[in-house]
Amino acid sequence: MSTLARKTAILLVCMLIVSVLPVMAHATDTLSTIRERKTIIIAHRESSIPFSYLDGHQQAVGYAIDLCMKVVEAVRRELKLPALAVRYMPVTPANRLQLIAGGDADMECGSTTNTAERKRQVDFSIAYFIASAKMVVRTDSGIKNWSDLRDKTVVTTKGTTNAKTLADRGQIRSLNLKLLESKDHAEGFSMVEQRVAAAFAMDDVLLYGLKASAKNPADFQITGDSLSTEPYAIVIRKNDPAFKQIVNRELSRLMLDGEIHAIYEKWFQRPIPPQAINLNMPMGHLLRSSIRFPVDDVADLPQ
């Protein structure tokens, strides 16, 4: 190839790259999208008490919602859009990641665990909660640990890490369990209430919320050795460092300034709407340790 031909080929390749870059940037530029529509879209859960759920007025509320609203304020400042509107989009465990990855919502604020597998599809913020996977059973069931579930029916919520963990555990398979999947946490708990399932396996904090909301909380108990550690985080689109920086910067500020403690106390240690239940759940040592050194890599979280 002559020198002229080589230079021409290089020039054509550079022109192609330059023409493609704006399209790629636009596809993952959440801030530009928010600026254009003058609205930020928050994906939320409807029954993940106390993180993201509907109150008595069918409004999205919760610990995760409060944290995300702090992020919204940071975006307003960054974009200089004081009139930035907020639109809420209800999601389920089955569709939450797809809706973020596809650009239908800008961030998901709920009880989603940051995992390496999920990071192939979406990205995550700094963890704002660390849960342990356990199970809720009826108090009169006699079930204390996983070994007591032999030949029994267990339900988990479809699309959650707990569903995969429970199915993958060799010792669980050896117990000859019948595994069911619920569409959401409320339905999973209802299956235990109605004795359709002997246990509902889920993150402990969500189980405490469901138990506290039950008609007769004393009929249920949370038990079992921890199946896994679950770091909850805000879900955002992949390859969008500008938006991720704003999200993490604001969460880091809340943590390092100590502001997050008041928000935590509001949702975990005081009566919350709509039934004025109180989880009475002090901040665990794993979360206390993690907010001293905020990171968004699950491998760096304290174990």
Side-chain angles (χ1 to χ4, degrees), residues 226-286:
S226 176
L227 281 180
S228 61
T229 298
E230 310 286 335
Y232 294 176
I234 296 172
V235 185
I236 57 179
R237 282 188 286 282
K238 286 185 67 68
N239 304 318
D240 196 345
F243 185 62
K244 180 174 180 176
Q245 181 181 41
I246 291 177
V247 174
N248 278 347
R249 186 172 62 206
E250 181 62 13
L251 289 178
S252 294
R253 184 193 68 78
L254 294 171
M255 294 175 180
L256 297 176
D257 289 353
E259 192 174 336
I260 195 171
H261 292 280
I263 300 174
Y264 182 96
E265 183 179 340
K266 170 185 174 182
W267 293 102
F268 293 90
Q269 297 179 284
R270 294 180 184 173
I272 60 176
Q275 300 174 356
I277 63 173
N278 190 335
L279 299 186
N280 289 312
M281 188 173 183
M283 186 179 289
H285 74 279
L286 285 180

Side-chain angles (χ1 to χ4, degrees), residues 20 25 33 36 39 64 68 184 193 199 220 239 242 254-255:
V20 171
T33 301
E36 289 172 7
T39 301
C68 281
D184 57 28
E193 279 187 308
F220 306 94
N239 304 318
L254 294 171
M255 294 175 180

Side-chain angles (χ1 to χ4, degrees), residues 43-296:
H44 69 93
R45 302 289 295 281
E46 295 185 299
S47 61
S48 289
I49 300 172
F51 296 93
S52 178
Y53 67 100
L54 299 179
D55 65 8
H57 302 287
Q58 297 301 292
Q59 299 297 312
V61 297
Y63 173 69
I65 297 296
D66 277 6
L67 294 177
C68 281
M69 289 308 298
K70 293 289 186 179
V71 172
V72 169
E73 289 301 321
V75 173
R76 283 192 176 114
R77 294 191 298 269
E78 180 73 18
L79 298 181
K80 298 179 174 58
L81 287 175
L84 179 67
V86 178
R87 188 198 313 165
Y88 292 97
M89 175 184 293
V91 295
T92 68
N95 68 12
R96 55 189 167 177
L97 301 185
Q98 293 90 329
L99 290 174
I100 293 295
D104 297 271
D106 300 312
M107 55 182 178
E108 193 259 353
C109 308
S111 53
T112 301
T113 301
N114 179 354
T115 69
E117 181 178 354
R118 286 174 173 171
K119 288 181 80 168
R120 299 190 188 112
Q121 183 177 1
V122 294
D123 206 346
F124 292 86
S125 71
I126 291 166
Y128 53 71
F129 191 84
I130 302 177
S132 296
K134 296 193 175 185
M135 62 176 158
V136 64
V137 299
R138 296 191 67 91
T139 306
D140 61 6
S141 68
I143 297 171
K144 301 298 181 184
N145 217 328
W146 304 101
S147 59
D148 299 321
L149 292 174
R150 184 174 301 280
D151 300 322
K152 290 182 171 59
T153 299
V154 180
V155 61
T156 57
T157 302
K158 184 177 182 179
T160 63
T161 54
N162 293 288
K164 186 177 187 304
T165 300
L166 194 58
D168 288 348
R169 283 177 65 96
Q171 72 177 69
I172 298 301
R173 289 196 297 271
S174 70
L175 295 176
N176 192 34
L177 297 181
K178 179 182 178 182
L179 298 179
L180 301 178
E181 289 190 336
S182 60
K183 66 179 180 181
D184 57 28
H185 304 326
E187 183 180 66
F189 186 80
S190 178
M191 289 184 181
V192 176
E193 279 187 308
Q194 299 171 20
R195 301 184 188 273
V196 175
F200 174 39
M202 188 45 56
D203 298 351
D204 55 356
V205 62
L206 299 178
L207 296 179
Y208 277 106
L210 290 165
K211 175 187 173 183
S213 302
K215 183 177 180 181
N216 297 302
D219 290 347
F220 306 94
Q221 64 180 6
I222 288 86
T223 189
D225 295 334
S226 176
L227 281 180
S228 61
T229 298
E230 310 286 335
Y232 294 176
I234 296 172
V235 185
I236 57 179
R237 282 188 286 282
K238 286 185 67 68
N239 304 318
D240 196 345
F243 185 62
K244 180 174 180 176
Q245 181 181 41
I246 291 177
V247 174
N248 278 347
R249 186 172 62 206
E250 181 62 13
L251 289 178
S252 294
R253 184 193 68 78
L254 294 171
M255 294 175 180
L256 297 176
D257 289 353
E259 192 174 336
I260 195 171
H261 292 280
I263 300 174
Y264 182 96
E265 183 179 340
K266 170 185 174 182
W267 293 102
F268 293 90
Q269 297 179 284
R270 294 180 184 173
I272 60 176
Q275 300 174 356
I277 63 173
N278 190 335
L279 299 186
N280 289 312
M281 188 173 183
M283 186 179 289
H285 74 279
L286 285 180
L287 180 57
R288 285 187 177 276
S289 297
S290 69
I291 65 178
R292 291 175 57 201
F293 307 100
V295 295
D296 56 35

Side-chain angles (χ1 to χ4, degrees), residues 14-33:
C14 290
M15 291 174 64
L16 178 61
I17 291 174
V18 169
S19 67
V20 171
L21 281 176
V23 177
M24 293 175 60
H26 180 74
T28 56
D29 189 353
T30 302
L31 289 175
S32 293
T33 301

